[in-house]
């Protein structure tokens, strides 16, 4: 075994463990904020796997779209909702869990059966393909500069709008002993400022 193959195997194992552990954390974490951050870790691990497959553009798109857009959107949605609600216990929870476990095990068995019975056309050596990121960058900054800049301005405006919507105003408590800030209800925002 060559050194490069050993590095690839170790990297694949590390990425696999990271993705599986983070995915389990997403499902099992009681905090939705931690689950969102762990989901970002899953996306990063998958981007690393794309890099190992010599698909640098797909890896960059994975990081930009899923980590930079989808995951941030999920975090903004969590911040905007910001409700602390105690959920009631689901009826027939054990039956639902049993059905979910059955479906998951069936899907896993189907994927395993398909994987084992497929003739994979593998070549002993993978040729390095030319990177498409350089060509895309040249197109972005030459022919498509205006749409690229307009899209970036649009995303910036959306980001600022989401921050303004998520912002809360706090009323300082008059008692000195209690340093906790009370959140002003949204209905009263702007009433005292007129």
């Amino acid at each position: 075994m060559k050194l490069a193959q050993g590095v690839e195997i170790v990297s694949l194992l590390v990425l696999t463990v990271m993705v599986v552990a983070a995915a389990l954390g997403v499902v099992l974490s009681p905090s939705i904020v931690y689950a969102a951050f762990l989901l970002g870790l899953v996306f990063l691990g998958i981007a690393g796997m794309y890099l190992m497959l010599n698909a640098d553009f797909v890896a960059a798109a994975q990081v930009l779209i899923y980590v930079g857009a989808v995951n941030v959107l999920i975090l903004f949605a969590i911040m905007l909702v910001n409700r602390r609600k105690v959920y009631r216990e689901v009826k027939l929870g054990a039956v639902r869990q049993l059905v979910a476990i059955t479906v998951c095990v069936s899907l896993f068995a189907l994927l395993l059966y398909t994987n084992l019975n497929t003739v994979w056309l593998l070549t002993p050596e993978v040729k390095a393909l030319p990177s498409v990121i350089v060509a895309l960058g040249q197109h972005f900054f030459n022919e498509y500069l205006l749409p690229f800049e307009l899209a970036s301005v649009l995303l910036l405006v959306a980001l600022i709008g989401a921050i303004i919507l998520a912002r809360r105003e706090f009323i300082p408590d008059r008692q000195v002993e209690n340093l906790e800030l009370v959140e002003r209800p949204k209905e009263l925002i702007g009433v005292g400022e007129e």
Side-chain angles (χ1 to χ4, degrees):
M1 177 185 296
K2 296 179 182 178
L3 180 62
Q5 290 177 341
V7 171
E8 284 181 359
I9 291 173
V10 171
S11 301
L12 180 64
L13 287 176
V14 169
L15 287 173
T16 304
V17 169
M18 184 179 83
V19 168
V20 171
L24 287 174
V26 171
V27 177
L28 300 175
S29 174
S31 170
I32 193 169
V33 177
Y34 292 148
F37 281 114
L38 288 171
L39 183 64
L41 194 61
V42 172
F43 290 150
L44 285 176
I46 292 174
M49 289 183 179
Y50 285 140
L51 275 180
M52 291 187 62
L53 292 172
N54 204 12
D56 50 354
F57 174 70
V58 181
Q62 171 81 14
V63 171
L64 289 175
I65 294 173
Y66 284 97
V67 180
V70 174
N71 204 16
V72 171
L73 182 66
I74 290 172
L75 286 171
F76 272 120
I78 292 169
M79 286 189 332
L80 287 173
V81 172
N82 197 17
R83 287 188 179 178
R84 295 175 181 170
K85 184 178 179 182
V86 179
Y87 293 100
R88 290 179 298 178
E89 190 171 340
V90 180
K91 294 180 181 178
L92 302 174
V95 176
R96 292 181 180 195
Q97 288 179 352
L98 183 64
V99 171
I101 290 172
T102 306
V103 170
C104 291
V105 169
S106 302
L107 284 176
F108 181 74
L110 180 64
L111 287 173
L112 189 64
Y113 176 78
T114 305
N115 190 13
L116 293 177
N117 292 321
T118 302
V119 179
W120 301 99
L121 299 176
L122 297 176
T123 56
E125 292 185 4
V126 179
K127 294 180 181 178
L129 299 174
S131 176
V132 294
I133 291 182
V134 176
L136 282 174
Q138 288 174 348
H139 285 297
F140 275 143
F141 289 103
N142 287 326
E143 301 123 36
Y144 302 106
L145 180 62
L146 183 61
F148 182 70
E149 291 299 326
L150 286 177
S152 66
V153 170
L154 182 64
L155 288 175
L156 180 64
V157 169
L159 181 66
I160 293 172
I163 290 171
I164 290 173
L165 287 175
R167 189 181 63 145
R168 298 272 196 267
E169 292 192 12
F170 291 96
I171 304 172
D173 197 0
R174 294 178 182 165
Q175 296 177 355
V176 179
E177 297 86 24
N178 190 3
L179 298 177
E180 184 177 331
L181 294 177
V182 180
E183 186 175 351
R184 181 189 294 181
K186 275 192 163 182
E187 297 83 24
L188 296 178
I189 294 176
V191 172
E193 297 170 354
E194 295 176 353

